């Protein structure tokens, strides 16, 4: 079918006041250190999920963990799967309402999860032969100057790029994050952050304002391997 696949990952890192996700491209999925790190994070998430169920039931919602497992198709379970069940049960009208009312940070059924530090997330990806990239930097919720300082710090641990193009970024944000990346000699990347039905605004393969990601980004990342 002439389709190219790139090994990748997205790791949540400890960060305030917003959220930080670190993307990894071209990594070796068989890396022992990577597998051990992910196993620890998955085990912690396995302990978190039943607590979310407990909180949802305390809110008066008739939901079971088995229903969420079924919604996940047997894969790794995350909050979008809880949202899917809540929509199916008509406890909420949409994925957005599920997160706003129950699943987002500070909401009624939110349970925090174990996260790596930003430095450890970058080192884990780099250690597996991958290229680490800060995802959707808008969600850091900090000034551009502070973002630049953080990117520069993480560059020393192996950070290779910044996702300046993102489906949630406006023109000004794209321009500013591009400037930061280029100033620090980091590769400018992009992503639609497509999540299926849970993100109505994100179209597979397209960025802000319908812009398609150019293949040159892949070639630039490959040079950093």
């Amino acid at each position: 079918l002439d389709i190219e696949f790139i090994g990748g990952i997205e790791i949540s890192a400890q960060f305030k006041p917003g959220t930080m996700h670190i993307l990894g491209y071209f990594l070796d999925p068989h890396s022992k250190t990577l597998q051990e790190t992910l196993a620890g994070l998955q085990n912690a998430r396995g302990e978190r999920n039943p607590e979310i169920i407990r909180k949802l039931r305390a809110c008066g919602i008739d939901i079971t963990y088995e229903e969420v497992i079924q919604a996940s198709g047997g894969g790794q379970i995350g909050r979008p799967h809880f949202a899917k069940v809540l929509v199916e049960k008509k406890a909420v009208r949409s994925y957005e309402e599920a997160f706003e009312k129950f699943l987002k940070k500070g909401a009624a059924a939110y349970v925090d999860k174990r996260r790596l530090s930003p430095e450890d997330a970058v080192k884990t990806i780099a250690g597996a032969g991958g290229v680490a990239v800060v995802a959707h930097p808008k969600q850091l919720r900090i000034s551009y100057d502070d973002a630049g300082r953080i990117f520069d710090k993480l560059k020393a641990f192996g950070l290779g790029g910044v996702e300046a193009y993102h489906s949630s970024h406006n023109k000004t944000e794209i321009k500013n994050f591009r400037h930061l990346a280029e100033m620090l000699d980091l590769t400018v990347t992009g992503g639609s952050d497509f999540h299926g039905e849970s993100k109505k605004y994100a179209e597979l393969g397209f960025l802000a304002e319908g812009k398609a990601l150019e293949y040159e980004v892949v070639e630039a990342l490959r040079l950093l391997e």
Side-chain angles (χ1 to χ4, degrees):
L1 296 175
D2 195 30
I3 297 174
E4 179 181 4
F5 290 88
I6 298 169
I9 195 169
E10 183 171 8
I11 298 177
S12 297
Q14 296 169 353
F15 191 79
K16 291 182 179 180
T19 59
M20 178 184 285
H21 293 174
I22 305 294
L23 302 166
Y25 297 103
F26 298 106
L27 43 70
D28 174 13
H30 304 295
S31 162
K32 182 180 178 181
T33 301
L34 176 68
Q35 289 295 336
E36 290 175 349
T37 301
L38 295 183
L41 293 174
Q42 289 167 350
N43 288 338
R45 178 173 284 197
E47 296 169 0
R48 171 203 194 201
N49 290 332
E51 180 63 12
I52 295 177
I53 290 291
R54 188 193 67 76
K55 286 194 171 189
L56 287 171
R57 292 185 67 84
C59 291
I61 298 173
D62 181 19
I63 185 173
T64 68
Y65 197 26
E66 288 69 26
E67 289 172 320
V68 180
I69 292 173
Q70 185 175 1
S72 75
Q76 184 67 29
I77 295 171
R79 287 179 295 167
H81 302 119
F82 286 91
K84 181 178 180 182
V85 175
L86 291 173
V87 171
E88 290 173 350
K89 287 180 169 289
K90 295 182 169 42
V92 294
R93 289 167 293 184
S94 65
Y95 282 83
E96 292 79 10
E97 185 181 351
F99 273 85
E100 189 67 29
K101 192 172 181 180
F102 297 109
L103 301 171
K104 78 172 188 178
K105 191 172 184 177
Y110 178 77
V111 179
D112 205 0
K113 64 180 178 182
R114 181 193 159 201
R115 293 177 172 85
L116 300 179
S117 69
E119 296 82 3
D120 284 343
V122 170
K123 286 193 294 185
T124 295
I125 291 167
V131 181
V133 173
V134 175
H136 40 65
K138 174 181 182 175
Q139 295 181 20
L140 298 173
R141 297 180 188 171
I142 56 178
S143 70
Y144 293 108
D145 287 343
D146 286 342
R149 283 190 283 270
I150 288 171
F151 298 162
D152 192 35
K153 177 182 177 183
L154 292 178
K155 185 179 176 181
F157 292 91
L159 183 69
V162 175
E163 192 179 59
Y165 289 99
H166 185 264
S167 53
S168 69
H169 290 178
N170 60 38
K171 286 183 177 180
T172 300
E173 290 162 342
I174 290 169
K175 179 181 177 181
N176 288 332
F177 287 125
R178 273 194 67 103
H179 174 71
L180 283 178
E182 291 167 353
M183 185 174 63
L184 294 169
D185 195 27
L186 293 168
T187 296
V188 175
T189 76
S192 62
D193 210 9
F194 178 72
H195 279 241
E197 294 180 352
S198 65
K199 283 191 177 181
K200 302 291 186 183
Y201 65 84
E203 186 178 353
L204 182 61
F206 289 88
L207 313 176
E209 302 178 347
K211 176 181 172 62
L213 189 63
E214 301 294 337
Y215 190 76
E216 284 76 8
V217 172
V218 176
E219 294 172 333
L221 286 170
R222 187 173 278 118
L223 291 174
L224 300 176
E225 283 186 87

